[in-house]
Amino acid sequence: MGTISNFARRLLAGPYVLWAVLFIIAPMLFVAYYAFTDANGAFSLDSILGLGKFSDIILRSAWYSVLATAICLLLAYPAALILVKMKTRTQATLVMLIMLPMWMSFLIRTYAWITILQNEGLINFALDWLNLPRLSMINTPGAVILAMVYNYLPYMIIPLYNVLSKLDHSLLEASQDLGANSLRSLTRVTLPLSLPGIAAGITMVFVPSISTFYISQKMSTGNILMIGDIIERQFMISYNYNMGAAISLVLMVVIIVTMMAMRRFTENSGEVVV
C-alpha cells in the first residue's frame, strides 16, 4: 500500500517536475551557457569580465529596488495592521480594492502615472490653477521609484495581511497581562511572528523591482537605465546574446541570494520575547 502511495505521489508530481525542468532549469542552463561562451560557442570569460562597464547600472538597480522595497514595507505594515482590526466584511472589501489594480494591465497602470507626473499632467495642472510653481517630476529617479512602489505595493500588503490575520491574539493579551504596552507588544510579539510575511513581501517586491525594465523606460524616457533595460538592449538591439546572458546571470545570482537571505531571516521567526 505504501509503495502504491509513493508511486501515486511521484506520478502526480511528474507534471510539475517536467514544468520546472522545461521552464526553470533549462532556461537557467542556457543563460549560463551563453554567459561563458563567445559568439562562436567557444568557452570565453569575455562577457563576464566585461560586466564592469555596467557596474553603475547594476548598483543603481539594486539601490532603487531596495528603496522601493523599504517604502513598500513602511507603507504596507501599518496598512495590514489596521486592516486586520476591521470587521470581516470590511476586510474583504478593502482586500479586493487593494488587489483591484492588479487586475488591470501593468502598462495601463504605468501610463496612468505618466499622465499624472508629466509636465502637462494633472499635478502641474492643479499647481497652475493654484498659482504655484510647476514641478519637474517625470524623468527623475523619484518617478521611477514611485511607479515601482505603486505597482508592487499590493505584493507587500497581501502577505503581511495573511500572516497578521492568522496571529493568535491570546499572545497579545498575555503580553499585556505581563505589563507590556502596545508598542512593546508590537515589537516583541507581533513583529517577530509576522517575519514570514515580511520576508515573503520583501521577496515579492524586490525581485520584480530589480528586474523591471518597462517602468524605468516610460518614467524616464530611457534616461535612467536599469538591469532589465540593459538586458533587453543586448538581446533585442545589439543581438549580443553572450553579454545579455552574462548580465542575466548576475541578476539571477542577486535574486537567489535575496531568497536565501529571506529564508535565513525567517528561520527563528517563531520566537517571541516579552
Side-chain angles (χ1 to χ4, degrees):
M1 192 70 177
T3 304
I4 297 176
S5 178
N6 291 334
F7 175 77
R9 282 197 294 266
R10 293 179 181 179
L11 188 63
L12 291 174
Y16 301 100
V17 173
L18 180 61
W19 177 275
V21 170
L22 292 178
F23 298 104
I24 299 177
I25 298 177
M28 292 175 66
L29 292 177
F30 274 112
V31 168
Y33 168 77
Y34 279 104
F36 290 99
T37 57
D38 57 19
N40 298 319
F43 176 79
S44 174
L45 294 176
D46 291 344
S47 298
I48 300 297
L49 297 177
L51 290 173
K53 59 184 178 182
F54 301 112
S55 58
D56 292 343
I57 297 174
I58 295 174
L59 292 176
R60 181 193 302 133
S61 300
W63 175 237
Y64 285 8
S65 301
V66 169
L67 285 177
T69 304
I71 294 172
C72 284
L73 180 58
L74 292 176
L75 293 175
Y77 202 90
L81 284 174
I82 295 172
L83 191 59
V84 297
K85 294 180 181 180
M86 295 181 175
K87 296 180 179 179
T88 303
R89 182 174 297 180
T90 304
Q91 290 184 28
T93 302
L94 292 177
V95 169
M96 184 187 68
L97 292 176
I98 291 171
M99 297 179 64
L100 186 61
M102 300 168 62
W103 300 349
M104 295 184 291
S105 170
F106 183 86
L107 308 182
I108 294 176
R109 299 202 305 266
T110 304
Y111 267 113
W113 275 106
I114 297 175
T115 304
I116 295 172
L117 299 179
Q118 64 185 355
N119 294 333
E120 302 297 330
L122 297 177
I123 293 180
N124 280 322
F125 175 80
L127 292 175
D128 288 341
W129 186 75
L130 296 172
N131 293 321
L132 295 174
R134 289 190 169 198
L135 297 176
S136 179
M137 295 168 287
I138 206 72
N139 297 333
T140 63
V144 176
I145 295 173
L146 174 62
M148 291 166 65
V149 170
Y150 170 75
N151 279 292
Y152 301 130
L153 183 60
Y155 296 107
M156 182 70 76
I157 295 178
I158 298 303
L160 288 172
Y161 167 73
N162 288 335
V163 171
L164 291 173
S165 63
K166 297 176 183 177
L167 291 183
D168 187 353
H169 294 285
S170 63
L171 295 175
L172 295 175
E173 296 174 357
S175 68
Q176 294 173 358
D177 291 340
L178 293 172
N181 55 28
S182 299
L183 180 60
R184 191 174 180 84
S185 296
L186 174 64
T187 57
R188 296 300 183 94
V189 179
T190 305
L191 187 60
L193 291 176
S194 62
L195 287 180
I198 294 175
I202 289 175
T203 303
M204 294 178 67
V205 172
F206 180 79
V207 170
S209 295
I210 197 171
S211 59
T212 188
F213 65 94
Y214 184 82
I215 291 177
S216 54
Q217 288 180 8
K218 297 305 177 182
M219 301 305 293
S220 70
T221 61
N223 294 324
I224 299 176
L225 297 178
M226 299 185 69
I227 295 179
D229 300 314
I230 299 301
I231 294 174
E232 183 193 29
R233 291 188 177 190
Q234 295 298 320
F235 279 104
M236 305 302 296
I237 299 177
S238 302
Y239 297 103
N240 189 346
Y241 299 148
N242 303 101
M243 180 58 71
I247 303 173
S248 301
L249 188 63
V250 172
L251 185 59
M252 286 166 50
V253 170
V254 171
I255 292 173
I256 292 173
V257 170
T258 300
M259 296 179 66
M260 293 177 62
M262 289 300 100
R263 181 179 179 182
R264 183 70 179 271
F265 178 69
T266 56
E267 282 182 351
N268 299 321
S269 60
E271 296 182 359
V272 177
V273 180
V274 178

